[in-house]
Structures are given as structure tokens and as C-alpha cells.
Amino acid sequence: MTTITERLRVPGAFLLGAVLLLGIAPVALSDFRLSLLAKYLCYAIVAVGVSLAWGRGGLMVLGQGVFFGLGGYAMAMHLKLADAADTGEKLPDFMQLYGTSDALPWWWKPFANPFFALAMTVLLPMAVAALLGFFVFRRRVKGAYFAILSQALAAALSIWLIGQQATTGGTNGLTDIQGFFGYSLDDPVNQRMVYFVIAAVLLLLMALARQLFVSRYGELLVAVRDSEERVRFLGYDPANVKLVAYVVAAGMAGLAGALFVPAVGIISPALIGIVPSIGFVIGAAVGGRASLVGAVLGAIAVAWAQSTLSDEFPAAWTYLQGLLFVLAVGFLPGGLASLGAVLRRRRTPATPKEETVVVMAGEAA
């Protein structure tokens, strides 16, 4: 039977997170530090989806930068069109500089509608993930092959965006975003508003992911991860189970990209390619991919370390990032969130039954 303490542990943890993010951080941090934290929280939102897809489903999602970028560009396109309308221009500033036509591209026009743009920040990444996942999972592609395919998709999107300078800004991306649905991003008060929105979205998505974890679907997802063939024999289609996790994680990454744009004021191919995609996974791996809190804290910590160390050691940071991933996956698969349990197991003496199993295993060897 569960005690009252166990029942209140999860709500208490969410309440503590809400107090820290919505109450203490805005008071204790300067405007600059708070804007950095808003950026890190966007990465944490991606980590929530990674925890669902990889931590629970065993899907090595090394291409989350694709969905992060789709959501980010969908939001940035609307904001650039809104900025142009505020100044009486028909085209965004970069199109006036690099464009070859005086007409707005047809696929830009729907993003002038704020409701369409907001919907696309989530639905477009989910649609791409559903299309890709349908063919991949039906053909039972998994493991390293799935990871490589995800990386190839991230590289392809980044290269395509760079080559479309007249319509996507090319290498520079979409920059110098001034407003956010009628509010000026130059105003510190509005920047704080953006932070509160990001923090609230993170908490809501963590609550949603938590419900998926403890639901019947969450148990089925773990079963598919551990023994896919047994689940198939029980009458479930593992492809559909994995597809749901992959699509939900993509939607979270797209929403994170959309929120990243007003927080930072830019979206570019450099933020969505292979290296950033790996960075999303490293954060979740270091903190603990099977733990929502661990994945979120790991993403924030790795993002903070990148901002701090990459300026001082630009050449060494990439190697350090790779080393963190190797250490986490090879020596602490559960991440830092499992460190306490590992230490407790080492301190607890083995039971007679466990000792017998060890001896029999040694004799068999």
C-alpha cells in the first residue's frame, strides 16, 4: 500500500519546481540571467520529450533538432511578417536584401495568421515525425540505424535551410525579431513575460509526460522497449506504440523551438543541425533519461556548461560534451538521477539468495 508521503511526493515536487521557477528565479536573477534561464528551459522542454521517447521507449532520438527547428522557423516566420507589417513593409527585411522577387513566397503567406502559425509550431513537427516514423517503424528499423537516420534528417534540413537564403535567411537564419504578438521584446517586462510562459509550459509538459509514464500506455511503451516480440505476440503493434512516443516528443521539441525564438530573438541552421541534436540527448543522458526531473536538470546543466565553458574553451567543449555522453551511457546509464540508488546498492550487503546466484554464475563461467 502506498503511504500518504508517497502520494504527496510527486505533487510536492511539482509545487517545489513551480515555486523555484515562477517565484524565486524571477526575484533572484537579473534580467540577463533570467533570459539565459529561459533559453535553458527551452532545451529542458526538448529533454522531456527525449525522456519519453528514449528513456521510456528506447528510441535513440538524435534528430530532435529537426523538430526544434520546424517549430522555431514557424514561429519566427510569423514574427518577421508581423515586424514587417508594423513598419509598413510587405516583405521581411532579409527578403528585401537577398530576395529576387517583390512578392512574398506562397508558403510564407499562411504564417501571417497567428493562429495558423501557433498551430504549425506543434502540428508541423508532429506531422513530419508521423510520416517518418510510420515508414521507419513499420520496417522495424531501430537501434543504431534509427539514430543514424535521425542524424541524416537533421543534416538534410540544415543544409536545405542554408541553401535557401532568399526565403529562409540562409546561414544567418531569421534574426532581429522585435515583437511577440504585439509586445516589444526590447522591453525587459515583456522578456520576463516570455520567461513565465516558457516556465509554465515546461511544468505543464512535465505533468503531461508524468501522466503518460504512469498510464497503461507508459507501461506498454516500456514493454516494447524491453521485449518487442513478446508485445507483438500479445496482440499489440509495437510500431504504433513507438510512433506515438516519437510524435509526442517531436511536438514537444517543436513547441520548445517556437518558445526559443522570442526568448533569444533568432533561429538559424546552426541551432538545429547535428551537433545541437546530439546536445539535446546528452543533457537528458547526463541527468537521467528515465527520470523527468533528471532529464530536465541535466539539460539545464549541460546548456549552462556550454554557455560558460564554450566561451573560455571553444575548441575543447565539443570533446568534453562527447566525453560526458560516453561516461553517462557507458558507466552510469541512469544518469545522475540514479546515482543515489547505485550508492545504496553498493552499501547494502547482498542477501543469501543473491550470494548463491553469484556463486552459481561464477561456477558456470
Side-chain angles (χ1 to χ4, degrees), residues 15-292:
L15 179 60
L16 177 61
V19 171
L20 289 174
L21 291 177
L22 302 176
I24 296 178
V27 175
L29 299 178
S30 64
D31 291 337
F32 174 72
R33 296 295 180 186
L34 198 66
S35 65
L36 282 180
L37 181 57
K39 173 183 173 182
Y40 302 157
L41 293 185
C42 292
Y43 296 151
I45 292 174
V46 182
V48 173
V50 172
S51 181
L52 174 66
W54 185 29
R56 285 281 169 169
L59 302 173
M60 179 64 82
V61 283
L62 289 179
Q64 292 304 93
V66 172
F67 311 120
F68 184 87
L70 290 174
Y73 270 88
M75 175 63 77
M77 288 165 67
H78 169 73
L79 297 182
K80 292 297 290 184
L81 290 174
D83 288 347
D86 290 341
T87 59
E89 301 288 345
K90 295 182 179 180
L91 300 177
D93 50 6
F94 75 94
M95 285 189 184
Q96 299 177 33
L97 183 62
Y98 302 119
T100 57
S101 173
D102 294 333
L104 189 69
W106 65 268
W107 52 278
W108 268 74
K109 293 179 180 179
F111 288 93
N113 186 304
F115 299 103
F116 178 85
L118 283 173
M120 286 298 101
T121 60
V122 177
L123 296 181
L124 183 59
M126 293 180 74
V128 173
L131 182 62
L132 176 65
F134 177 80
F135 292 104
V136 169
F137 298 137
R138 288 293 172 185
R139 292 185 173 274
R140 303 186 185 182
V141 177
K142 54 186 177 180
Y145 300 102
F146 176 74
I148 293 172
L149 185 60
S150 300
Q151 286 277 273
L153 184 62
L157 178 62
S158 179
I159 293 171
W160 181 82
L161 290 171
I162 291 173
Q164 305 298 314
Q165 188 173 25
T167 54
T168 65
T171 305
N172 295 328
L174 304 182
T175 63
D176 195 27
I177 295 172
Q178 301 295 321
F180 181 62
F181 294 98
Y183 295 93
S184 173
L185 293 175
D186 292 331
D187 189 341
V189 175
N190 295 334
Q191 280 288 352
R192 283 179 169 262
M193 177 190 67
V194 171
Y195 166 80
F196 281 116
V197 171
I198 294 173
V201 168
L202 172 61
L203 292 172
L204 289 174
L205 291 182
M206 289 181 68
L208 173 62
R210 168 68 184 176
Q211 287 302 113
L212 288 176
F213 276 25
V214 300
S215 66
R216 182 178 179 182
Y217 169 76
E219 296 177 354
L220 185 60
L221 184 61
V222 173
V224 170
R225 179 196 66 190
D226 295 339
S227 183
E228 186 172 325
E229 293 302 323
R230 289 186 179 183
V231 173
R232 183 175 287 107
F233 290 150
L234 291 174
Y236 295 98
D237 189 349
N240 293 335
V241 177
K242 292 189 289 186
L243 181 62
V244 171
Y246 188 50
V247 170
V248 171
M252 291 182 179
L255 185 56
L259 295 172
F260 180 88
V261 172
V264 180
I266 182 176
I267 188 72
S268 71
L271 297 169
I272 65 177
I274 293 178
V275 174
S277 296
I278 296 176
F280 292 142
V281 174
I282 291 176
V286 171
R289 62 180 185 267
S291 167
L292 276 176

